[in-house]
Amino acid sequence: MSAPIPIRVHYHKKARELELAYQNGESYRLSVEYLRVYSPSAEVRGHGGDTAVLQVGKKDVGLQNITQAGRYALKLHFDDGHDSGLYSWDYLYSLAINQEANWADYLRRLEDAGESRQPKTIQFKEL
């Protein structure tokens, strides 16, 4: 069974959240940080097994652009330069409905690694 396709995708720039609205009335707001640390790219998820790379210091990440990839996915272009990986409708819906558990797991992994959501360097962004 495949996930529903959003009828509306909206980026709330100030809040740094991507909103997905569905035909059945469901609506989810996913933080850009959450989307970045759960990127489907091989750079983040690894190449199978236990090779995922914990993403740290992504608290202030934003989106520069969103493009549609065919009829099945979005490509998110983050302002930290990351833009690989396609967010399929199935993957986005899974992130939406599992957001609470995924986020708790991410925070636990950060703590276990002694890492932080805060960037380690000064972030310069173009205005």
Side-chain angles (χ1 to χ4, degrees):
M1 179 179 180
S2 63
I5 297 172
I7 58 169
R8 187 169 87 87
V9 176
H10 180 75
Y11 178 46
H12 297 270
K13 189 174 183 175
K14 254 188 171 169
R16 290 194 308 270
E17 294 177 332
L18 188 68
E19 183 178 3
L20 305 168
Y22 295 92
Q23 185 73 39
N24 64 3
E26 290 178 336
S27 181
Y28 301 94
R29 287 177 71 144
L30 309 175
S31 76
V32 174
E33 179 185 11
Y34 174 59
L35 292 165
R36 175 62 177 85
V37 301
Y38 277 95
S39 170
S41 72
E43 174 187 332
V44 173
R45 295 181 91 179
H47 296 281
D50 212 12
T51 60
V53 177
L54 180 64
Q55 302 298 296
V56 301
K58 301 301 179 188
K59 184 175 188 278
D60 298 326
V61 73
L63 284 177
Q64 287 184 323
N65 198 13
I66 303 168
T67 53
Q68 191 164 343
R71 294 182 172 190
Y72 67 95
L74 294 178
K75 183 169 183 151
L76 304 180
H77 306 263
F78 297 91
D79 63 10
D80 68 352
H82 181 75
D83 67 356
S84 61
L86 295 177
Y87 291 77
S88 71
W89 299 132
D90 288 344
Y91 187 61
L92 283 168
Y93 190 70
S94 175
L95 288 176
I97 63 174
N98 296 300
Q99 186 172 192
E100 189 175 317
N102 287 346
W103 190 248
D105 180 62
Y106 171 66
L107 294 178
R108 181 194 51 76
R109 288 184 291 125
L110 272 180
E111 185 176 336
D112 289 351
E115 292 290 353
S116 171
R117 295 173 54 214
Q118 297 293 338
K120 293 181 181 183
T121 60
I122 297 171
Q123 301 295 306
F124 293 96
K125 295 190 179 181
E126 185 178 324
L127 300 176

